[in-house]
Amino acid sequence: MASFPAVVELERRYKARGLRVVSVTRADERDEVAASAREHGMDYPGFLDTEGTWSSVAGVRAIPAFIVLDKEGKLAFRHGGKLSKDTETFASMDSVVDRALGK
């Protein structure tokens, strides 16, 4: 999954400012995601959404999906599909994370 390096980059960049990344994986993708996570150095926690409940509540339609919640737990950003570091979508998410964390 090409998206892991982008998320790992955000997590490393903003962890000291309070960013917490959590992976949510559907049961049918568990093995593929675990292998990609090891390959790309994903060291943030993962959650297995075995029933699809969280994905449904969060409005996740495409996999992978990226959701940023602000400090109050409100939706600040949502993107469905792969994410690469050199795209406008990544730049937008980076900006949202920066603002959500404050100074």
Side-chain angles (χ1 to χ4, degrees):
M1 295 184 131
S3 300
F4 277 110
V7 175
V8 168
E9 169 70 22
L10 277 181
E11 200 265 346
R12 288 181 181 151
R13 185 180 308 170
Y14 293 112
K15 188 173 186 174
R17 288 181 49 200
L19 177 67
R20 296 300 175 256
V21 174
V22 177
S23 162
V24 179
T25 305
R26 294 185 323 210
D28 61 333
E29 295 183 318
R30 179 186 359 204
D31 294 338
E32 178 186 353
V33 170
S36 292
R38 282 189 300 276
E39 178 183 342
H40 296 291
M42 182 186 103
D43 61 356
Y44 43 86
F47 169 72
L48 186 60
D49 189 13
T50 57
E51 303 295 321
T53 305
W54 185 90
S55 297
S56 178
V57 169
V60 172
R61 309 236 188 296
I63 301 295
F66 302 90
I67 297 172
V68 176
L69 303 176
D70 65 16
K71 289 183 177 186
E72 287 77 41
K74 294 180 184 169
L75 181 67
F77 177 90
R78 180 186 321 211
H79 171 73
K82 292 186 178 181
L83 185 65
S84 297
K85 291 188 283 187
D86 58 350
T87 63
E88 284 185 37
T89 303
F90 179 80
S92 294
M93 187 165 87
D94 186 30
S95 178
V96 167
V97 169
D98 187 48
R99 283 192 314 272
L101 293 173
K103 298 284 179 195

